[in-house]
Amino acid sequence: MDNYEREIIKSTLRATGGNCQQAAEELGIHRSALYKKMARLNIHRRKENVYE
């Protein structure tokens, strides 16, 4: 389940150009919840809005 959630979040972040507020809105969650999920799933911002 974590792998699926991780890929969905990364894909949404890429689609929004790294805009966390917009990504959170598209995912239907609050921005702070997105940050918590990113930390839990070890999603880090790399240069040029690429998330790994």
Side-chain angles (χ1 to χ4, degrees), residues 5-6 9 16 20-21 23-25 29 35-36 42 44 46 49:
E5 186 175 26
R6 187 174 198 275
I9 291 171
T16 61
C20 288
Q21 178 65 43
E25 288 174 9
I29 60 176
Y35 290 141
K36 288 176 185 175
N42 203 26
H44 301 284
R46 301 291 183 222
N49 295 323

Side-chain angles (χ1 to χ4, degrees), residues 4-44:
Y4 175 75
E5 186 175 26
R6 187 174 198 275
E7 290 307 313
I8 292 296
I9 291 171
K10 286 172 46 178
S11 174
T12 305
L13 286 165
R14 285 188 198 108
T16 61
N19 184 320
C20 288
Q21 178 65 43
Q22 188 178 354
E25 288 174 9
E26 289 191 24
L27 293 166
I29 60 176
H30 194 274
R31 187 180 66 204
S32 63
L34 175 60
Y35 290 141
K36 288 176 185 175
K37 286 178 182 284
M38 289 172 65
R40 180 175 57 84
L41 296 169
N42 203 26
I43 299 172
H44 301 284

